[in-house]
Structure formats: C-alpha cells, structure tokens
Amino acid sequence: MTGKAEINIKQVINLIGFFLVLEGLFMLLGLPFSFYYHEERPYSLLFSFLITSGTGGIIWFSTHNKIKDTINKREGFLVVSLTWVFISVFGTLPFIISGAIPSFTDAFFESMSGFTTTGASILSDVEVFPKGLHFWRSMTHWIGGMGIIVLSVAVLPFLGIGGLQLYSAEMPGVT
C-alpha cells in the first residue's frame, strides 16, 4: 500500500442500510393521508416501507459488527454518492406499487428530482395525484432540500460513527 487508506466497504454498506431504514420510516408519514382521503391503494406506502426498511435493516444488521468508529473522506464520498442512488431507487417504490407512475424510468426521475431538489417533474397535474403519494413526493423534496446526509450528522454520533466526513463530502467547494 502506498499511503492510501483502504475503503472499508462493509462500513459503506452498513451506512447505506441505515439510510434505507430512515427512508422507509419517512414513507410511513404519508400513510395517514392515504387513509384520510380514502384512496384506492392506500397500502402502497406501507408495502414500500416494508420493502425499503426490511432491505435496509437486513443490510444494516448484517454488517453492524464489521464497522469501525470513524470513516475517512473517501468512504464519506462513496457513502454520499451511493446513498443518493439507493434512496432514489427505493423512493420509486410507492409510485410503482400504487400504479400512479407505472414506468420505472419516470418514477426514478420523479424520485431523483425530489432527493436532489432539481424541481423537475414528469407530472402534468400534481393536484390529481393521490394525496398520500403527493405527501411522499413532497417529503422527497424536503429531505433533499435539507440534505439527508447533513441530517444524518445529528444522528450518526448516537450510533458511535463520526459524521464529519459525510458532512464534508456533502459540502461544495474547498474545505
């Protein structure tokens, strides 16, 4: 090795699993709106929660004993990059399961635009969109605007993991 720190891939996978569990919990927040407005398919958010949090939980708990206390910058950059992709992929589930956006490409675009806060949308009229999914769609924009990785800086210290590397990977410009 020539002085470069190796990437602990199990640490990266563990953190992605943790973020998937968080994303699943956020999916549940739209469920009351689906029930209140008597939507046709109110359980799409519940099924999405089960799939997302189940997958994240399996990943998180199967790798939790193989992690170290801190992560380096390279691992931080990898976590940030892969987390955006994975949360966007799993963020498509409510749209696809409900049938509101049947195309994976369109659902992925809608999810990714929310988590990256680009503001772009494939929906021509969001007012007729199911209310529970509309809340989930709004939640993706809120999470993206706040920065899910920056949010995690407040949570990761409770898990014994330093969040400074994730924070610096999220911030633009010279550090």
Side-chain angles (χ1 to χ4, degrees):
M1 187 108 200
T2 60
K4 292 185 179 179
E6 287 189 35
I7 293 177
N8 184 354
I9 198 71
K10 292 189 187 216
Q11 177 92 14
V12 172
I13 292 170
N14 179 272
L15 290 172
I16 291 170
F18 172 74
F19 289 125
L20 287 176
V21 170
L22 277 180
E23 180 185 23
L25 293 173
F26 278 117
M27 286 177 183
L28 283 180
L29 296 176
L31 201 56
F33 293 96
S34 294
F35 287 123
Y36 180 78
Y37 288 103
H38 305 290
E39 294 178 356
E40 289 181 30
R41 298 182 185 131
Y43 294 106
S44 62
L45 288 166
L46 179 63
F47 294 145
S48 301
F49 156 75
L50 291 173
I51 294 168
T52 304
S53 289
T55 304
I58 290 169
I59 292 170
W60 188 25
F61 289 116
S62 65
T63 58
H64 78 281
N65 59 350
K66 303 188 176 42
I67 61 173
K68 56 187 178 182
D69 288 341
T70 60
I71 61 173
N72 61 37
K73 279 191 174 191
R74 292 174 60 190
E75 290 166 342
F77 283 119
L78 189 58
V79 168
V80 168
S81 302
L82 291 178
T83 298
W84 286 121
V85 174
F86 278 98
I87 66 169
S88 295
V89 168
F90 281 90
T92 64
L93 291 177
F95 302 129
I96 293 173
I97 291 173
S98 70
I101 304 176
S103 164
F104 174 78
T105 306
D106 290 342
F108 182 76
F109 181 84
E110 195 67 36
S111 177
M112 182 62 88
S113 72
F115 285 118
T116 58
T117 63
T118 61
S121 179
I122 56 108
L123 303 173
S124 57
D125 188 12
V126 295
E127 298 300 320
V128 298
F129 208 58
K131 303 298 187 223
L133 293 178
H134 187 69
F135 187 84
W136 168 242
R137 181 180 174 273
S138 300
M139 185 62 66
T140 64
H141 289 268
W142 181 75
I143 293 168
M146 186 173 44
I148 192 168
I149 307 302
V150 175
L151 170 68
S152 68
V153 170
V155 176
L156 288 177
F158 292 113
L159 301 173
I161 300 168
L164 184 60
Q165 288 79 9
L166 293 179
Y167 179 77
S168 65
E170 183 71 13
M171 301 314 299
V174 178
T175 56

